[in-house]
């Protein structure tokens, strides 16, 4: 059904071909605006490709939409209605959040207008136009108005994931000048980490605004030191997670091949390919880990990838979206290519709060978020020790 409301805003574009108005302008209302995406967009006198072309818009010009029907927008064009293909219009809508405890929704943009509904605090709304101190919003099956004073239109900045920055993927891993590996076990681990990844970690630390020593310490403490084994990405298949993501709905098949401890579900992981085979442990053997993963993939591919931790920092596949991937398989595919994805993934995993703690050298607070509060003091001290072991001349 074509939406036809009372017009509230100003005139549209010029007419290139003369045309009689179908309706008076005060019978129309601009319900939203849109930006032209085609290089040149025809304006027509009806909703058909066979109708007359009465004007044109160029790319990025703004149109005022007064009606919607199927694949066409009715627009305001020189104070009369006309039509353009919706395929080539990007509606300029915003999303907002109600900040008032209870917000009146009105039929018109004024305080005396009829109240047609109410919105509770934190309710999300779609804003199609801004009118002085009022906002036109999509409401139920039509449009209505709310006071702009009580809608937060602040858009959260989309996180820029490090692994999508081609600069970091092209950088050499190793620094030009390497450190002599000597001293205590912590000293040697810090120096080995720098010698392997120092050039990339230096660029990352500058980008994030943290000390290079902090970046080195986090990698040294939170990673096992390597990300590949015999050319395959290092993984750990978690039976209890595969049960969560797939086995719970397929228990008969699951328990024929997988088992784990009922009380301490992270223990007792065993696998067998056939139900007549002996149960076998597989953690600690990468060939076996990948064998279990390959078997699980045949049962459910995405659930299998979500059930593994992978790479240098052993990030769970179930956290793939947190570090910017569409799904766990995409994460696995990238992690299988290059250890740079492992390092960038670890730092993509850090929240703004965790980065702030690193900037301030608050390692216990950092560990409380990264490792959990129960391990915060222990891991925080380890990070502190590795931070202090980094040679001062390179800080």
């Amino acid at each position: 059904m074509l939406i036809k409301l009372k017009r509230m805003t100003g005139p549209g574009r010029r007419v290139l071909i003369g045309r009689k108005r179908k309706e008076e302008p005060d019978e129309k209302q601009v319900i939203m605006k849109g930006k032209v995406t085609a290089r040149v967009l025809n304006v027509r006198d009806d909703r058909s490709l066979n109708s007359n072309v009465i004007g044109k818009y160029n790319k990025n010009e703004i149109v005022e939409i007064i009606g919607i029907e199927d694949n066409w927008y009715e627009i305001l064009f020189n104070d009369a209605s006309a039509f353009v293909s919706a395929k080539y219009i990007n509606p300029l809508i915003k999303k907002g959040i109600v900040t008032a405890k209870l917000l009146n929704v009105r039929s018109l943009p004024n305080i005396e207008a009829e109240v047609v509904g109410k919105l509770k605090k934190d309710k999300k709304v779609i804003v199609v136009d801004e009118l002085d101190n009022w906002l036109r919003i999509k409401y139920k099956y039509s449009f209505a108005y709310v006071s702009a004073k009580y809608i937060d239109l602040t858009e959260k900045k989309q996180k820029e994931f490090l692994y999508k920055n081609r600069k970091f993927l092209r950088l050499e891993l190793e620094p030009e000048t390497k450190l002599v590996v000597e001293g205590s076990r912590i000293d040697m681990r810090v120096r080995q980490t720098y010698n392997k990844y120092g050039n990339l970690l230096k660029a990352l630390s500058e980008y994030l605004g943290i000390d290079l020593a902090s970046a080195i310490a986090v990698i040294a403490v939170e990673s096992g030191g390597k990300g590949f084994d015999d050319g395959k990405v290092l993984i750990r298949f978690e039976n209890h997670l595969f049960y969560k993501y797939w086995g719970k709905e397929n228990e008969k098949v699951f328990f024929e091949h997988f088992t784990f401890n009922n009380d301490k579900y992270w223990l007792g992981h065993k696998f067998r390919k056939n139900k007549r085979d002996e149960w076998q442990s597989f953690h600690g053997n990468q060939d076996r880990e990948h064998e279990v993963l390959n078997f699980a993939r045949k049962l459910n591919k995405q659930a299998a990838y979500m059930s593994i931790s992978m790479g240098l920092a052993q990030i769970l596949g179930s956290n793939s979206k947190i570090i910017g991937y569409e799904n766990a398989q995409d994460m696995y595919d990238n992690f299988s290519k290059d250890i740079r994805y492992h390092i960038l993934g670890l730092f993509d995993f850090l929240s703004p709060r965790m980065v702030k703690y690193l900037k301030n050298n608050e390692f216990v607070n950092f560990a409380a978020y990264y490792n959990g509060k129960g391990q915060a003091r222990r891991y925080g001290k380890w990070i502190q020790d590795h931070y202090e072991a980094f040679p001062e001349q390179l800080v």
Side-chain angles (χ1 to χ4, degrees):
M1 178 179 180
L2 188 64
I3 300 170
K4 295 185 177 180
L5 302 172
K6 189 174 180 181
R7 178 178 173 247
M8 299 293 298
T9 57
R13 300 282 297 164
R14 64 189 180 281
V15 173
L16 301 186
I17 299 177
R19 158 175 189 268
K20 183 179 179 181
R21 294 181 184 176
K22 287 185 175 180
E23 301 177 63
E24 292 301 318
D26 61 359
E27 294 177 359
K28 292 292 181 180
Q29 177 188 19
V30 176
I31 57 175
M32 69 177 104
K33 297 177 182 179
K35 181 182 288 189
V36 176
T37 60
R39 187 172 64 84
V40 177
L41 178 62
N42 289 328
V43 180
R44 299 180 180 274
D45 66 357
D46 207 349
R47 296 175 293 275
S48 168
L49 293 176
N50 296 322
S51 60
N52 294 323
V53 175
I54 59 171
K56 295 181 185 294
Y57 279 101
N58 294 319
K59 188 173 183 178
N60 294 328
E61 289 193 284
I62 303 300
V63 301
E64 296 181 319
I65 300 167
I66 56 178
I68 306 168
E69 184 174 338
D70 296 329
N71 298 319
W72 294 87
Y73 283 138
E74 184 178 8
I75 65 170
L76 188 66
F77 194 78
N78 197 39
D79 288 339
S81 68
F83 300 89
V84 292
S85 172
K87 181 179 179 180
Y88 302 107
I89 298 292
N90 183 24
L92 299 178
I93 61 174
K94 294 182 179 180
K95 293 181 180 179
I97 298 177
V98 176
T99 60
K101 186 174 181 180
L102 199 62
L103 179 61
N104 288 328
V105 181
R106 299 184 181 274
S107 60
L108 292 170
N110 68 74
I111 197 69
E112 304 297 329
E114 176 189 3
V115 175
V116 295
K118 294 179 183 293
L119 296 173
K120 293 181 180 179
K121 187 176 182 179
D122 295 328
K123 176 71 176 177
K124 294 180 181 179
V125 296
I126 294 177
V127 178
V128 297
D129 202 4
E130 301 179 44
L131 308 165
D132 296 326
N133 298 321
W134 293 86
L135 301 176
R136 183 182 292 115
I137 65 169
K138 190 177 185 304
Y139 186 70
K140 295 182 178 179
Y141 299 105
S142 186
F143 300 91
Y145 301 85
V146 292
S147 171
K149 182 179 178 181
Y150 302 107
I151 299 292
D152 182 5
L153 292 175
T154 304
E155 295 184 15
K156 292 183 178 180
K157 186 178 179 181
Q158 188 175 3
K159 182 175 180 179
E160 297 178 1
F161 291 101
L162 299 169
Y163 86 91
K164 295 183 178 180
N165 189 323
R166 307 306 298 179
K167 166 192 169 184
F168 294 129
L169 293 174
R170 290 194 296 264
L171 280 177
E172 291 291 331
L173 286 168
E174 300 179 2
E176 290 185 10
T177 304
K178 295 186 178 181
L179 298 172
V180 177
V181 178
E182 59 184 8
S184 69
R185 188 167 65 175
I186 289 178
D187 289 332
M188 289 192 291
R189 185 182 297 119
V190 165
R191 290 164 180 260
Q192 287 169 342
T193 301
Y194 177 77
N195 289 347
K196 285 182 180 179
Y197 314 121
N199 192 56
L200 175 58
L201 290 176
K202 183 175 185 295
L204 277 174
S205 63
E206 291 173 354
Y207 181 84
L208 295 171
I210 63 177
D211 289 341
L212 173 58
S214 294
I216 295 289
V218 168
I219 288 289
V221 171
E222 302 296 349
S223 77
K226 66 176 185 177
F228 290 90
D229 184 85
D230 196 24
K232 294 179 181 178
V233 61
L234 202 70
I235 67 167
R236 177 184 167 97
F237 188 91
E238 304 288 359
N239 287 7
H240 63 290
L241 292 181
F242 193 54
Y243 176 77
K244 174 183 177 181
Y245 298 126
W246 181 80
K248 187 179 289 189
E249 302 299 324
N250 302 273
E251 287 191 341
K252 184 177 184 300
V253 177
F254 178 87
F255 286 117
E256 286 180 359
H257 304 285
F258 305 90
T259 187
F260 58 91
N261 190 295
N262 287 331
D263 297 321
K264 298 180 179 180
Y265 47 80
W266 59 92
L267 300 177
H269 290 191
K270 293 184 178 181
F271 168 75
R272 62 184 181 186
K273 186 173 288 187
N274 299 299
K275 60 182 180 181
R276 292 182 296 275
D277 295 342
E278 293 291 327
W279 288 105
Q280 293 186 0
S281 300
F282 56 91
H283 291 323
N285 183 319
Q286 280 299 298
D287 288 337
R288 293 284 288 152
E289 293 278 6
H290 279 275
E291 179 187 345
V292 177
L293 171 61
N294 290 335
F295 182 88
R297 286 193 304 191
K298 296 175 183 177
L299 299 175
N300 187 291
K301 186 179 291 186
Q302 284 303 327
Y305 284 120
M306 289 174 67
S307 303
I308 60 172
S309 55
M310 60 185 96
L312 189 75
Q314 288 293 284
I315 301 172
L316 283 170
S318 56
N319 287 326
S320 59
K321 291 187 184 298
I322 294 177
I323 64 173
Y325 290 95
E326 191 68 27
N327 53 60
Q329 182 176 350
D330 289 348
M331 175 182 167
Y332 176 86
D333 290 344
N334 269 0
F335 274 44
S336 296
K337 295 175 187 175
D338 192 327
I339 203 161
R340 290 172 179 81
Y341 287 108
H342 304 199
I343 296 171
L344 297 173
L346 186 153
F347 286 97
D348 271 328
F349 186 76
L350 305 185
S351 67
R353 185 189 296 266
M354 286 190 274
V355 173
K356 178 182 176 183
Y357 286 142
L358 285 182
K359 288 180 179 180
N360 297 331
N361 297 339
E362 299 176 40
F363 299 122
V364 173
N365 287 333
F366 169 84
Y369 282 87
Y370 192 93
N371 306 100
K373 291 184 178 179
Q375 303 287 333
R377 290 198 176 278
R378 184 170 65 149
Y379 275 93
K381 186 178 185 311
W382 283 351
I383 296 172
Q384 180 78 42
D385 290 344
H386 285 74
Y387 173 82
E388 292 175 355
F390 192 71
E392 290 185 4
Q393 68 268 25
L394 293 179
V395 175

